[in-house]
Amino acid sequence: METRQSEISIPNNNISTKIITIICWFIVLCAIIPLFMIAPYNYPAADDYSFSINTHQAWEKTHSLIPVLQEACEMVKEKYYHWQGTYSAIFLMALQPSLFGVHAYTWVPFIIITSLILSYLWFLKILIMDICNGSRYIYLTVCACLLIPTLLFPVNGVEAFYWYNGSIFYGFYFACSLILLGCILKSSLANHKLIYNIICIFLSLFIGGGNFSTGLTLPLIIITASIFAFIHKKKIPTAAYLSVLFLTIGLCINIIAPGNEIRQANYTDTPNPIIAIIKSIFTGGKNLIHWIKIPELIVFLILSPFVYQTAKKSSFQFKYPLLISIISFGIYCAMYTPPFFAMNNEGPGRLVNIIKYSFFWLLLINLFYYCGYFCRRSTTFCNSIWINKMKVFINKYPVLAYLTITIALGSTLFRSASSTHNAVEILQNGDAKQYGKEMKERYLLYQNSDKEIIVKPLSVKPPLLFITDITNDKNHWINQNIALYFNKEYIISQ
């Protein structure tokens, strides 16, 4: 019988594994620091004001949380009947940080990025360590590698991390969906199932009151995973049934809101469901091709040995790789269908951001499944492919291997399209500081006793901080909402 010594594995030297993990998290840290460094220059815009007019006024009058929370609930009711049914999201939007003081808006990227990091850590820990019996260092390395494209290459950086209204509605809900999936898996392993069941019910109702792309896709993922568990005669956790049930209840409450019909009246040229699905498939395919570039390939190339090791240790049989790919593509494309059906386009950047995050996750799952498929069925594959050569290279030339991985991952930081590169650039050229200075000057005008405010146009519009601005038309909706927020007759830019 052939020995398994020649099979692919992560280096046996535990120090080597730790060093690779440290390198990957060092790159993540290098990616995050510039993103946080521009946070002090971040200011609210557009819907940040329109959803928090009443809560801001309540805070200014009382400096008490209870009236603020009451006004947030009133905002949910008002928007539910007159604009949209996303009840939990509206509640959060009404509590945008700057209502407690403009400097609190600095915390927006910290909230969003931290929620993404923690959700990735939570879900992958359960998936890799608890279910697939992978090591702690493989788990941490995979997590770091998946975070790198998530943080560096969002479709729209300002809507991903800095604009509260958009990032909380999509990025934060994406993080919550990973936490929910982790809780479902954890409930099948933990002794305290009741606690996880309760958490799943709460998260399901919460997510059901958010954006439709997350709320509609999540039940599909849970149902699909449950079907596979049933086929393989695995017990489906009660939390899975509860999550699908309460996600559906939340979505129904969301969908039947009278405000949805009022808002939908603004979009007249919308396709029927079949055309929306077809457009989703074509758009999904087009974006998929655009999103697989050199940085992403580098990340998943480095991921491959770790994913392979995890697949080899797991108990899965990996019988249906092609079916997994088809289902993955279907789930990915399904996230485009709500915006196409409602607006006849793929949606704003903040929505496409989370679709891209999902794409990276689905790519990871497919890499895992195909590695497992070939591992179970082909000794030749195990002994001859480049992953095995990588193992030999790391064992024979560890220092050179560490340097190669550092340069390969580090090079992604300096891509012109990366959010970290953009953050460093606007710090170096002074645009971030100048933008912060001009916005601070505006706030001083907003907070004075004058009722008619005229501000200068912004001289700089940094891509990671600027999303939109007031106009010279006092009746423009952005101007009107900022005027109401600060209790002015009008605010214009000239």
Side-chain angles (χ1 to χ4, degrees), residues 19-41:
I19 291 175
I20 292 171
T21 303
I22 291 169
I23 290 171
C24 291
W25 277 98
F26 175 74
I27 300 300
V28 172
L29 185 63
C30 289
I32 291 172
I33 289 174
L35 298 180
F36 286 164
M37 286 178 68
I38 64 172
Y41 308 115

Side-chain angles (χ1 to χ4, degrees), residues 74-334:
E74 285 297 317
M75 178 58 67
V76 173
K77 180 180 177 181
E78 179 192 336
K79 295 295 184 182
Y80 188 84
Y81 284 98
H82 298 102
W83 189 241
Q84 63 189 59
T86 53
Y87 54 89
S88 60
I90 293 170
F91 184 82
L92 294 181
M93 291 173 186
L95 298 174
Q96 63 94 0
S98 73
L99 72 89
F100 303 107
V102 68
H103 296 297
Y105 205 76
T106 296
W107 289 101
V108 172
F110 290 89
I111 294 168
I112 302 303
I113 292 173
T114 301
S115 69
L116 287 170
I117 292 172
L118 292 178
S119 65
Y120 277 45
L121 285 168
W122 165 253
F123 184 56
L124 282 172
K125 191 268 179 185
I126 296 166
L127 198 62
I128 293 176
M129 291 186 65
D130 297 349
I131 293 180
C132 296
N133 301 312
S135 74
R136 180 179 299 277
Y137 293 107
I138 289 179
Y139 143 63
L140 289 172
T141 303
V142 171
C143 185
C145 286
L146 198 58
L147 279 167
I148 288 170
T150 299
L151 298 174
L152 288 182
F153 303 109
V155 175
N156 187 305
V158 62
E159 295 185 19
F161 309 128
Y162 296 93
W163 185 43
Y164 176 82
N165 189 274
S167 60
I168 205 75
F169 193 31
Y170 290 98
F172 184 74
Y173 276 78
F174 181 80
C176 289
S177 68
L178 291 178
I179 294 171
L180 173 60
L181 292 174
C183 287
I184 293 172
L185 294 177
K186 192 69 174 177
S187 72
S188 65
L189 305 170
N191 294 324
H192 305 291
K193 298 181 187 298
L194 179 60
I195 294 174
Y196 286 102
N197 289 343
I198 292 171
I199 294 172
C200 287
I201 290 171
F202 171 78
L203 284 173
S204 297
L205 287 172
F206 177 80
I207 294 168
N211 69 81
F212 287 128
S213 290
T214 302
L216 289 169
T217 307
L218 202 50
L220 292 178
I221 294 171
I222 298 170
I223 291 170
T224 302
S226 298
I227 291 172
F228 269 86
F230 178 79
I231 291 172
H232 289 88
K233 297 181 180 178
K234 302 286 186 181
K235 184 179 179 182
I236 301 171
T238 304
Y241 296 108
L242 291 172
S243 296
V244 172
L245 173 62
F246 284 94
L247 276 167
T248 305
I249 291 171
L251 279 168
C252 287
I253 295 171
N254 191 341
I255 291 169
I256 65 173
N260 290 334
E261 187 175 352
I262 296 171
R263 184 176 186 180
Q264 191 60 41
N266 295 314
Y267 302 95
T268 54
D269 185 24
T270 54
N272 62 52
I274 301 299
I275 298 299
I277 292 171
I278 293 171
K279 287 188 174 185
S280 299
I281 294 171
F282 277 101
T283 301
K286 178 193 70 175
N287 286 345
L288 186 149
I289 294 170
H290 290 164
W291 291 343
I292 302 178
K293 295 181 179 178
I294 291 175
E296 289 81 4
L297 289 175
I298 289 172
V299 168
F300 280 90
L301 194 67
I302 292 170
L303 263 178
S304 298
F306 299 93
V307 173
Y308 190 96
Q309 181 75 351
T310 305
K312 188 176 73 173
K313 283 186 176 182
S314 74
S315 60
F316 299 122
Q317 294 304 308
F318 306 102
K319 294 181 179 179
Y320 313 105
L322 184 59
L323 181 60
I324 289 294
S325 295
I326 293 171
I327 291 172
S328 298
F329 185 70
I331 290 171
Y332 158 72
C333 290

Side-chain angles (χ1 to χ4, degrees), residues 407-419:
I407 293 172
L409 285 179
S411 67
T412 63
L413 298 172
F414 302 102
R415 301 284 295 188
S416 59
S418 80
S419 54

